[in-house]
Amino acid sequence: MIDRRSAVTGTLRGARDGPTVTYGLIAACCLLFVFGPVSGLNPAYGTGDALLAAQGSYFRRWGVVPAELMSGEPRALLTPFTALFVHGSWLHLLGNMLFLYVFGAMAEERMGRFAFALFYAATGYLALAGYAAAHAHSEQTLVGASGAISGVLGAFLFLFPRSRVTSLFPFLLFLPLRFPAWIVLIFWFTLQWMAARAAGAGPGVAYLAHVVGFALGFLYAWVRYRGGDRVKAPAAATEGESQP
């Protein structure tokens, strides 16, 4: 759970109608997942082997294949965008959308809709491209919005470091405890960085994309808002939920 805190009224562009880009991204990801072959809810893709084949083709068509992207194939150059809307499981989708809902809304309100949309697309693209560059010969398909959402987390760390986040930590018996956002996000980033160092290019979570996205998001916010435009004095609060 997080206190969504804004500064002076009027500094949050787009606040009047709510974070429509964030909600639109969540809706698009959910709808594409439900009607795609991965959810298992669309009978058009069949069952059994037919469904598995459809899922494989779906990931290959819309996901990032590092070897193809690094080869410069024209079709492959678009896949870091399309992969942002493709998820590999219900858990993958729900986890990403939860983080986007909680942290994306405040970031969008601070940046404004248009800037946030460009920021989300750019960090997502570069995070996936960064992973592909590090594993240039990999044929494993990479999908998901995690890189872009990691960018949102990085920007949030700079913009709202003192917002209070209620998080569940496994090593603390999943007790709901409140911490400043900077503690939770730095802890999360450290775990991703350690996992990225340990992980290879095989199947699994693309932790390096998380690291790249987070670093880019923080860097963008630091460059854009360091000249006194950073949120320092929270005034209002609403609530959402989050887990690191």
Side-chain angles (χ1 to χ4, degrees):
M1 188 174 293
I2 178 172
D3 291 339
R4 292 182 182 167
R5 304 187 175 188
S6 49
V8 180
T9 302
T11 63
L12 300 184
R13 289 156 288 182
R16 178 179 300 176
D17 299 323
T20 53
V21 173
T22 298
Y23 295 160
L25 289 168
I26 292 172
C29 288
C30 290
L31 287 173
L32 289 171
F33 183 83
V34 168
F35 289 103
V38 184
S39 70
L41 300 178
N42 190 339
Y45 292 102
T47 59
D49 291 341
L51 179 59
L52 291 176
Q55 291 173 352
S57 297
Y58 181 74
F59 291 142
R60 191 82 185 186
R61 179 177 182 182
W62 302 113
V64 176
V65 179
E68 294 179 0
L69 180 61
M70 291 297 100
S71 71
E73 294 184 20
R75 184 200 67 81
L77 295 177
L78 294 177
T79 56
F81 287 123
T82 59
L84 296 178
F85 298 91
V86 179
H87 290 84
S89 68
W90 280 100
L91 185 61
H92 187 200
L93 173 73
L94 295 176
N96 274 352
M97 294 306 100
L98 175 62
F99 272 80
L100 180 57
Y101 171 76
V102 172
F103 294 99
M106 284 183 69
E108 178 185 345
E109 289 174 349
R110 185 67 189 90
M111 296 180 187
R113 295 193 196 99
F114 183 71
F116 178 76
L118 289 180
F119 164 80
Y120 184 90
T123 54
Y125 189 103
L126 292 174
L128 294 173
Y131 178 91
H135 303 290
H137 302 293
S138 174
E139 296 287 341
Q140 297 293 333
T141 306
L142 183 64
V143 298
S146 301
I149 296 170
S150 297
V152 173
L153 300 184
F156 192 98
L157 174 61
F158 183 85
L159 294 172
F160 306 100
R162 289 175 290 184
S163 293
R164 304 293 293 183
V165 179
T166 301
S167 299
L168 305 177
F169 291 92
F171 58 85
L172 294 177
L173 303 178
F174 293 98
L175 295 175
L177 301 174
R178 293 176 64 78
F179 299 95
W182 69 268
I183 293 179
V184 175
L185 292 176
I186 289 178
F187 176 78
W188 180 88
F189 175 77
T190 301
L191 291 181
Q192 307 308 303
W193 178 74
M194 293 173 62
R197 293 193 61 183
V205 179
Y207 293 105
L208 181 59
H210 302 177
V211 172
V212 173
F214 189 96
L216 289 173
F218 184 88
L219 180 62
Y220 169 81
W222 178 72
V223 171
R224 173 65 179 83
Y225 297 101
R226 62 176 174 166
D229 208 11
R230 182 182 181 185
V231 174
K232 294 181 179 178
T238 58
E239 292 185 344
E241 295 181 356
S242 175
Q243 291 183 356

